[in-house]
Amino acid sequence: MGTMRIDGHDIPFQENDNILKAALAANIEIPYFCYHAALGSLGACRLCAVEVASVDPTQSPRVVMSCLEFARDGLNVSVSAAAARQVRQRVIEFLMINHPHDCPVCDEGGECHLQEMTVACGPPYRRYRGRKRTFTNQYLGPLVHHEMNRCITCYRCTRFYQDYALGDDLGSMRLRNEVYFGRFQDGPLTSPFAGNLVEICPTGVFTDAVFRQHFARVWDLETAPSICPHCSVGCNTLPGARDGTLRRMRNRFHPELNRWFICDRGRYGHQYSEHIDRPLTPRVRDEKVSYREALAAAAEQIKAARDKTSGLGSTREDLESNAMLQTLLNKLSGRFATFSDPQIETATVAAVAALQSSGGAPSLAEIEQADAALVVGDLTAHAPMMDLALRQAYRAGAKLAILHSGPSLLARFAATTLTVPPQEISAHLLRLHEQATAAPTAPTAPAPSNKHEKELADIAVYLTAAQRPVLIGVSETMAVPEIAAMVQLATALGSRAKLAYALPGANTYGTILLTPTTSTTAMLEAIESGQIQTLIVIGNDPLGDARLGTRWRAARRHLSTLIVLDCVATATAEAADILLPVAAWAERGGTFVNYEGRAQGFAPVFQRTEPLPNTVEVLADLAHCLELALPDAAAVLSNLFPGYQAPLPGTLGSALSAPPLTMQTGTTIGPASSAHPGHWQVALASWYGDDPLASYAPALMELAPAAAALIHPTAAFKEGIEDKKQVRLRGPAGTVVLPVQLNNDVAAGTIALSRVTLTQLGVGHGDLLELEHIS
Amino acid sequence: MEAVLTRHIEANAPLDLEAYRSVGGYRSLDAAFARKPEEIIEIVEAANLRGRGGAGFSCGLKWRLRDADAPRPRYLVCNIDESEPGTFKDRYLLYGGPHQIIEAVIVSAYALQAEKAVIFVRGEYGKGGHGLHRAIKEAEMAGLVGSNICGSGFDLQMEVHISGGRYICGEETAMLNAIEGLRPNPRHKMPRPSVKGLWQHPTTTNNVETLVNVPHILLNGADWFRALGINSGCGPKLFCVSGMVHQPGLFELPCGTPARELIFEHAGGLAEGRTLLGFIPGGASTAFLLPEHLDVPMDFDPVAKAGSRLGTASIIVLDDTTCPVQVTLNLMRFFARESCGFCTPCRDGIPYLAQILATIASGEGRAEDLVLLEELSGIIALQSFCAFAPGAMIPLISSLQCFHDHYESHIDTGCCPFDAVNKSGA
Ligand SMILES: Cc1cc2nc3c(=O)[nH]c(=O)nc-3n(C[C@H](O)[C@H](O)[C@H](O)COP(=O)(O)O)c2cc1C
Ligand code: SF4
Ligand code: SF4
Ligand code: FES
């Protein structure tokens, strides 16, 4: 848009850029504290002082704050001018008056912005002779450690926590040189994005409490570009390891995805790979064996039942591992599937088909630009960073509509919330489509309870009026009709509408591309009928499946050999005849395909002291023992996807060229064939720390909501159920006694239960259940 | 001069609506509604009414610069946060005459065509604020506030906001944040509050003393107002005198009255045998003046020419038993305490200065401390976010100039010379 001069260099700038932003974009260093690209300018720290020459040569130059001054054509700026340097030096001197001189033992040391700025611009000696001001720290929960004396009052933390992430339990209090950043009382931070405080704070006030427990100096950490393995968004991360153990996770900038932030599941979930029960030694039945022995035992079993071997891949395993297992089974003429629950599989295939046909899912950056959005399900729990992107849209004035059955953190920001039982979601979507097209197809779709007509009409109005509407569904709690209804709605809204689904695993999109037709039911039936004797499972937990765990456990008895490759101690790993522990994701390289279909590579970050082989290596070794020639993963993938090039870690990722999927039909969310009678509908009450891997992360799990049966107060009143009273729930897998918790975010006639409770009961989202009072 | 602003002020028993009307109150409403809003602005500008809140900006010009077509709703904010040390004039107006304030706000809001007025009252003036609130209710019942005031077609809602109680809340933009329920940090002044103020709507802020002049100007004309002042000053002015004088107090006198007359006649002069060391003319954030400045007219431009500011026209007197280093330390401690904590130079720099001053005052200062004070105060004054810190630096910088010898003697003798003198005198 124009050019200005900074210390003799011509610097281009965009309209409305301030001097600091334009300079940083041109790689010119101007020191700063309170400015942040995501939070904008504030003008509080006064470190970004520069000298600006006056247009009138007889006037002397002025020192201004570069973050508050618009860049202008022909502006002549000096960062190095003595006057500007003096201001920066004094600012540092002021900030260091009260700052503890504990750099040698401070956990921020080595990546402290204050330390860097002090070295770069500060005075070398201390002149202040008075006492220092001190603060009392707070307990902020298991994830973030608080050390207020280090604060330099840049307000970044509250601007992120309150203004950006819309949290409300951390703020600035008091005034003068006693401004305090914390909570009203000690207690765990409640925002799913609280961990970002660790990075947003330029000094060591907020530090990573998990990293602190097993601390290393940051310059000693091994790092490499990685991808978060905890959900389908695929945020870019930078793990840090030392002495063969993984210590911490940081955000890594991706301009279209997570940009400067990650969620707390992503930041703290990594502890699963250091879990005390992590399987590290191969095992054959009850005996610990060497890797070679375990491989030999596995090969022997497979040889014995050569054409009766099948494999179950996983949506949390990378593209390479799944593709290798599939190839191995092709050679063995066995079956290959990747889901443990066929209902979720069908829905996910439909979702990926819908994403492919709708012209591509919006990136997080695009979701932020939405001016209206419809969310179906609890987005925060399934794709936390999509939630954060929607919060940005909300801040910019977008209208949000939330259609959900159980607790949803986003509902607070919604212009319209429709809280309906799982089995009514689809009817609401169809009715919304009718409203949006204003041409009701006769006969009208099964009328949702009429009381929502007004809300649906409102949503239809702002979705149709929007320039950039976005529709996002949580595929794990949807079935094909719900997914199809969203596609229909998106089509009705026209090409400006964008459609996205939060999928149930880091590589779900990738595994669906490998197995485009549903295959789980067929595999399960083949096991039950004795056609399969040996099952190889990689990174999956069918025996721990919420809805079908019982059926899988029964089926397991038909298997002569269960071979499991995993890095967490799942129910399936525990039940394995042959267990081959494998490297966790940061210990190997691979590729995940995110919800947009973006394939992103992650690099091996470190080696354990006693390295474990990765899944691809184990499968290759197994093939070798079976005397099968297995191509390497790259060859397998380029065979599957024309022109495939492994996306390099640290790049922006790339789309895979794959033939389009077809959406199969299916029944709406509701009881499967194993239907259990009852008149309460079950809703999954998940939370942001909840995924199969992060549930092995101890610090994060401290925050897990206590097990309870969540019921809407009105429904509870009708049934004579009181808050906190115990009720008994009976499911196909077992009986559970839980306290009732009244919750306004639960639909009428619905009980919202955690994933753990669902597994204990053997029911899934949308199933029916009976509830008994305990007197 | 006959009292204008304080004529109907009853400090402990303010006139109620009826009594106020019986002495001619609310007459200016007719005078206002008979005119076009822009005519009122012209009259106020012609009267040369300058802001009484401290900066002395022309009231009429400020109103004219608020775009006449500004989008609605528009706000008028009346500032009674009065927290400047030495200043207690707005308190008189608030406690002694709430209806005069309401009248002033109505005609000023009419001139600005503002439909909402907020009167922001210092936290410690809670009782006065409640009295004002009751008076507004009275005026509402009488149809003087609300919709279609006196059949004029002009609507005005009026609210009292009692401050949480900090000096910084009196700063125009910090006050807007305070009214919105946010932290009272000042705002970046681009765009200006007259474009985007309260809740991002056009907002005009005036000190209460500025506004209470407006009804009188409307009734008596711009020429009458200008003629009330002397020595270049215009209109009546409330002066506060405190410190080492016989009769500290509030005096309504012609703007431009010399300091000598204020200190030695109206405030009763100094105690027996004392001589004047110096005085602060306009509240804590103005520069010290010396005995040689006693004849300077207390009006905006002459005081500025003498090197200080008229500010809130609140004189604080120092005599020869007052240690100027102690006085300056006292002021710095005040400003350190009242900093909003937003920007670094003010938040962390002023306590630093106070700490250095404390060492000097107690006789433990070093010669290089004076250089340090000068260096730091210069940076703080120039590089802070709002006008608070520059205001805080003014008395320090001028104290270092006016009383340099006193600072040196503290450092040279290792004690406060005034302590010794005052002790031996006692
Ligand atoms: C730190 C600070 C404190 C202030 N406090 C007050 C105050 O208490 N009362 C007031 O009328 N103006 C105060 N002001 C001035 C206001 O910002 C504003 O300029 C004034 O209210 C405008 O009114 P006027 O033009 O009628 O003088 C303060 C300014 C600053 C920088
Ligand atoms: S805690 Fe950190 S981020 Fe917050 S104001 Fe202090 S230094 Fe800045
Ligand atoms: S100068 Fe002082 S009062 Fe003004 S913004 Fe800075 S810290 Fe706050
Ligand atoms: S970065 Fe400009 S004032 Fe802080």
Side-chain angles (χ1 to χ4, degrees):
Chain A
M1 278 312 199
T3 319
M4 58 176 172
R5 267 182 106 66
I6 301 186
D7 286 322
H9 301 277
D10 284 333
I11 304 296
F13 62 85
Q14 304 299 313
E15 199 176 328
N16 288 335
D17 269 5
N18 56 56
I19 299 175
L20 178 59
K21 188 173 177 200
L24 294 175
N27 276 327
I28 296 220
E29 287 281 341
I30 300 180
Y32 64 93
F33 285 125
C34 65
Y35 172 82
H36 186 283
L39 309 175
S41 299
L42 186 69
C45 74
R46 318 305 280 180
L47 186 67
C48 65
V50 294
E51 194 179 85
V52 171
S54 183
V55 193
D56 174 357
T58 60
Q59 297 272 303
S60 45
R62 295 178 303 138
V63 173
V64 300
M65 295 306 140
S66 58
C67 71
L68 295 180
E69 202 84 358
F70 283 118
R72 275 178 285 122
D73 234 347
L75 199 68
N76 198 350
V77 177
S78 171
V79 185
S80 57
R85 278 216 313 266
Q86 205 217 353
V87 172
R88 296 199 293 267
Q89 206 170 66
R90 292 291 75 76
V91 167
I92 297 285
E93 180 177 13
F94 293 149
L95 290 173
M96 293 305 290
I97 287 178
N98 295 306
H99 192 82
H101 286 179
D102 65 350
C103 294
V105 293
C106 172
D107 22 5
E108 188 81 358
E111 55 185 357
C112 175
H113 198 66
L114 176 62
Q115 194 177 48
E116 280 159 26
M117 293 300 113
T118 306
V119 172
C121 355
Y125 301 110
R126 184 175 177 76
R127 298 190 287 187
Y128 178 72
R129 308 199 299 273
R131 290 166 65 93
K132 286 184 184 182
R133 164 223 59 203
T134 54
F135 290 115
T136 313
N137 301 324
Q138 288 182 323
Y139 170 74
L140 298 178
L143 307 182
V144 177
H145 181 81
H146 196 216
E147 199 77 47
M148 252 311 285
N149 285 342
R150 297 179 185 148
C151 179
I152 57 164
T153 328
C154 67
Y155 293 87
R156 278 190 188 193
C157 49
T158 44
R159 284 149 72 214
F160 167 75
Y161 199 93
Q162 289 192 355
D163 303 349
Y164 191 91
L166 303 176
D168 55 11
D169 64 323
L170 178 119
S172 41
M173 286 161 269
R174 315 195 60 187
L175 70 174
R176 54 178 163 268
N177 62 352
E178 292 168 3
V179 184
Y180 190 88
F181 297 86
R183 303 180 80 249
F184 279 136
Q185 296 181 313
D186 284 33
L189 294 166
T190 57
S191 168
F193 313 103
N196 290 299
L197 291 173
V198 169
E199 291 186 62
I200 202 99
C201 177
T203 165
V205 177
F206 299 107
T207 51
D208 184 331
V210 169
F211 181 35
R212 270 185 129 238
Q213 285 169 12
H214 196 187
F215 187 69
R217 304 310 312 213
V218 295
W219 53 82
D220 288 331
L221 290 176
E222 296 166 77
T223 62
S226 191
I227 304 296
C228 178
H230 296 289
C231 88
S232 66
V233 174
C235 292
N236 288 209
T237 56
L238 200 62
R242 165 92 171 136
D243 290 339
T245 54
L246 185 55
R247 305 293 177 90
R248 72 155 184 193
M249 191 59 52
R250 303 272 280 189
N251 145 80
R252 187 165 58 80
F253 187 83
H254 187 297
E256 289 152 30
L257 288 174
N258 54 308
R259 305 211 272 179
W260 306 271
F261 306 114
I262 52 173
C263 76
D264 285 4
R265 181 199 288 187
R267 188 178 302 274
Y268 299 103
H270 69 84
Q271 269 195 307
Y272 81 83
S273 71
E274 302 297 333
H275 193 276
I276 183 154
D277 291 333
R278 172 168 176 189
L280 295 170
T281 320
R283 171 170 71 69
V284 175
R285 316 237 180 255
D286 289 334
E287 220 173 303
K288 293 194 168 172
V289 297
S290 72
Y291 175 60
R292 287 281 141 215
E293 286 165 335
L295 264 187
E300 195 182 316
Q301 296 299 327
I302 293 169
K303 273 184 196 155
R306 192 151 192 126
D307 45 4
K308 291 191 165 185
T309 300
S310 285
L312 185 64
S314 166
T315 58
R316 67 169 152 94
E317 280 289 343
D318 54 22
L319 204 54
E320 290 79 355
S321 306
N322 279 298
M324 285 297 270
L325 181 59
Q326 187 180 31
T327 311
L328 177 66
L329 285 156
N330 283 343
K331 304 251 171 197
L332 293 168
S333 317
R335 293 171 184 276
F336 175 68
T338 46
F339 284 81
S340 54
D341 181 341
Q343 200 161 313
I344 295 180
E345 179 186 39
T346 318
T348 315
V349 173
V352 173
L355 289 175
Q356 280 184 330
S357 64
S358 74
S363 66
L364 293 190
E366 285 169 323
I367 294 176
E368 288 185 4
Q369 299 299 320
D371 54 356
L374 169 71
V375 174
V376 182
D378 179 6
L379 195 58
T380 325
H382 292 84
M385 287 300 285
M386 276 193 201
D387 161 315
L388 188 62
L390 272 185
R391 288 180 196 219
Q392 303 323 304
Y394 163 81
R395 290 178 61 208
K399 293 223 157 151
L400 307 188
I402 316 274
L403 180 54
H404 68 122
S405 310
S408 154
L409 285 184
L410 262 183
R412 270 181 64 188
F413 311 111
T416 322
T417 11
L418 284 174
T419 314
V420 303
Q423 294 178 17
E424 288 179 28
I425 296 275
S426 138
H428 277 78
L429 284 169
L430 291 176
R431 183 74 189 117
L432 181 58
H433 173 252
E434 283 178 358
Q435 301 253 26
T437 47
T441 39
T444 12
S449 21
N450 284 331
K451 56 182 192 226
H452 290 145
E453 278 296 296
K454 161 97 180 57
E455 285 91 336
L456 287 169
D458 288 347
I459 303 174
V461 166
Y462 54 74
L463 281 183
T464 40
Q467 293 306 305
R468 297 172 304 280
V470 165
L471 310 178
I472 307 180
V474 172
S475 76
E476 190 183 338
T477 54
M478 299 171 86
V480 177
E482 284 84 4
I483 285 169
M486 284 184 77
V487 177
Q488 209 182 355
L489 182 58
T491 316
L493 293 174
S495 58
R496 62 212 155 79
K498 294 257 182 191
L499 179 65
Y501 293 98
L503 305 172
N507 190 36
T508 305
Y509 201 117
T511 53
I512 295 284
L513 292 183
L514 293 174
T515 50
T517 48
T518 51
S519 35
T520 304
T521 308
M523 178 185 285
L524 189 49
E525 284 169 358
I527 298 173
E528 285 165 340
S529 64
Q531 291 168 41
I532 297 174
Q533 283 191 1
T534 302
L535 181 68
I536 308 172
V537 176
I538 62 167
N540 204 334
D541 185 21
L543 273 55
D545 184 86
R547 194 196 317 256
L548 294 188
T550 337
R551 189 164 161 204
W552 276 103
R553 287 193 290 276
R556 189 251 172 279
R557 275 181 239 125
H558 297 278
L559 293 172
S560 55
T561 315
L562 175 62
I563 302 170
V564 175
L565 280 64
D566 210 339
C567 60
V568 281
T570 62
T572 309
E574 253 146 44
D577 299 304
I578 300 172
L579 175 65
L580 283 150
V582 290
W585 103 110
E587 299 154 20
R588 63 167 203 259
T591 306
F592 290 145
V593 186
N594 83 344
Y595 75 98
E596 307 161 280
R598 186 195 297 267
Q600 301 190 99
F602 55 94
V605 178
F606 73 109
Q607 280 221 322
R608 301 186 64 83
T609 329
E610 287 167 24
L612 293 168
N614 66 43
T615 309
V616 170
E617 287 163 352
V618 176
L619 293 173
D621 288 346
L622 191 58
H624 187 76
C625 295
L626 293 169
E627 288 145 31
L628 294 172
L630 212 55
D632 68 8
V636 169
L637 288 170
S638 44
N639 202 19
L640 284 169
F641 305 110
Y644 179 80
Q645 291 241 310
L648 284 179
T651 62
L652 300 190
S654 50
L656 293 185
S657 60
L661 307 184
T662 43
M663 193 185 290
Q664 295 160 356
T665 52
T667 49
T668 168
I669 270 285
S673 51
S674 68
H676 193 67
H679 76 287
W680 290 87
Q681 290 186 36
V682 172
L684 168 63
S686 189
W687 68 292
Y688 65 85
D690 202 5
D691 82 303
L693 294 175
S695 52
Y696 290 90
L700 193 58
M701 284 307 116
E702 273 185 50
L703 296 172
L710 308 183
I711 299 176
H712 192 277
T714 317
F717 180 76
K718 266 198 227 147
E719 303 272 337
I721 302 168
E722 282 172 47
D723 196 20
K724 301 196 183 71
K725 281 276 158 60
Q726 305 274 319
V727 290
R728 184 180 290 115
L729 306 172
R730 279 182 210 282
T735 302
V736 176
V737 174
L738 284 178
V740 165
Q741 212 177 77
L742 299 185
N743 188 312
N744 285 312
D745 279 347
V746 181
T750 305
I751 311 183
L753 299 167
S754 74
R755 208 183 282 280
V756 173
T757 309
L758 293 190
T759 311
Q760 290 166 341
L761 291 166
V763 293
H765 183 84
D767 287 355
L768 298 178
L769 198 66
E770 207 43 83
L771 172 155
E772 294 167 23
H773 299 247
I774 299 179
S775 40
Chain B
M1 187 193 81
E2 212 180 310
V4 177
L5 308 178
T6 53
R7 183 155 169 215
H8 299 301
I9 295 288
E10 296 295 336
N12 293 316
L15 304 187
D16 64 10
L17 180 60
E18 205 187 314
Y20 182 63
R21 282 190 126 159
S22 71
V23 298
Y26 287 106
R27 271 201 303 126
S28 70
L29 266 55
D30 296 335
F33 295 148
R35 293 182 167 98
K36 288 194 180 131
E38 56 271 25
E39 286 170 21
I40 303 181
I41 297 180
E42 271 167 33
I43 298 173
V44 171
E45 207 174 346
N48 194 19
L49 170 61
R50 295 180 64 171
R52 282 11 183 179
F57 193 79
S58 158
C59 177
L61 182 58
K62 186 191 273 190
W63 291 4
R64 187 151 60 77
L65 293 179
R66 206 288 322 271
D67 194 352
D69 304 324
R72 293 178 181 277
R74 303 150 172 182
Y75 288 90
L76 169 65
V77 177
C78 170
N79 192 345
I80 319 188
D81 189 51
E82 189 171 69
S83 311
E84 183 86 352
T87 311
F88 38 84
K89 60 187 185 66
D90 298 346
R91 180 178 167 184
Y92 265 68
L93 298 173
L94 172 68
Y95 281 76
H99 280 291
Q100 176 174 240
I101 297 175
I102 298 169
E103 178 178 3
V105 170
I106 297 169
V107 295
S108 306
Y110 174 76
L112 288 157
Q113 288 294 295
E115 52 263 74
K116 294 192 176 166
V118 181
I119 306 178
F120 190 90
V121 175
R122 174 177 169 168
E124 289 83 349
Y125 293 176
K127 238 179 160 173
H130 291 302
L132 180 59
H133 177 77
R134 280 193 299 277
I136 293 175
K137 293 292 146 205
E138 242 186 317
E140 277 175 2
M141 302 280 276
L144 296 167
V145 171
S147 46
N148 193 16
I149 297 172
C150 302
S152 63
F154 175 62
D155 303 339
L156 177 66
Q157 284 174 21
M158 203 182 290
E159 303 268 348
V160 174
H161 181 111
I162 298 183
S163 169
R166 298 312 323 178
Y167 178 73
I168 193 63
C169 295
E171 194 280 336
E172 182 174 4
T173 55
M175 189 163 60
L176 301 182
N177 278 336
I179 295 171
E180 287 186 28
L182 306 171
R183 270 183 80 80
N185 294 126
R187 294 180 183 172
H188 190 40
K189 304 289 185 296
M190 286 299 277
R192 308 208 142 266
S194 56
V195 179
K196 290 200 163 172
L198 261 186
W199 289 287
Q200 302 299 310
H201 299 301
T203 303
T204 310
T205 301
N206 276 109
N207 173 258
V208 65
E209 186 194 339
T210 314
L211 294 184
V212 293
N213 281 292
V214 176
H216 301 285
I217 296 174
L218 276 179
L219 288 172
N220 302 305
D223 293 339
W224 164 86
F225 183 83
R226 299 174 74 104
L228 279 184
I230 55 172
N231 298 329
S232 83
C234 292
K237 182 76 197 83
L238 302 183
F239 292 99
C240 308
V241 185
S242 63
M244 304 306 268
V245 287
H246 262 309
Q247 285 161 0
L250 176 101
F251 311 99
E252 185 183 2
L253 293 166
C255 188
T257 304
R260 185 188 300 281
E261 187 186 324
L262 272 158
I263 297 173
F264 289 96
E265 286 178 29
H266 301 284
L270 311 184
E272 260 315 296
R274 304 274 176 84
T275 53
L276 183 73
L277 183 69
F279 62 99
I280 295 177
S285 44
T286 58
F288 288 89
L289 291 180
L290 295 170
E292 71 212 53
H293 298 119
L294 274 174
D295 293 315
V296 171
M298 289 288 282
D299 176 30
F300 296 94
D301 296 335
V303 179
K305 222 171 133 198
S308 186
R309 285 191 309 123
L310 183 65
T312 58
S314 303
I315 296 180
I316 303 172
V317 175
L318 283 61
D319 71 11
D320 53 356
T321 64
T322 335
C323 169
V325 180
Q326 282 288 353
V327 170
T328 311
L329 170 60
N330 189 324
L331 291 175
M332 284 314 111
R333 285 192 169 142
F334 168 80
F335 287 117
R337 194 187 75 202
E338 293 299 330
S339 164
C340 81
F342 182 74
C343 73
T344 308
C346 170
R347 176 191 65 242
D348 291 326
I350 301 181
Y352 187 175
L353 297 176
Q355 188 273 334
I356 301 170
L357 278 171
T359 6
I360 298 175
S362 67
E364 283 157 28
R366 305 174 186 168
E368 65 265 27
D369 285 346
L370 294 180
V371 185
L372 192 55
L373 283 177
E374 244 170 72
E375 181 197 352
L376 298 180
S377 56
I379 295 274
I380 295 170
L382 283 174
Q383 304 305 338
S384 296
F385 184 77
C386 83
F388 172 97
M393 292 305 96
I394 288 172
L396 170 63
I397 294 170
S398 84
S399 168
L400 286 169
Q401 286 161 359
C402 295
F403 308 115
H404 197 82
D405 295 350
H406 293 283
Y407 284 86
E408 287 197 327
S409 66
H410 278 76
I411 292 170
D412 294 345
T413 60
C415 67
C416 173
F418 289 84
D419 275 353
V421 172
N422 289 343
K423 259 182 217 135
S424 69

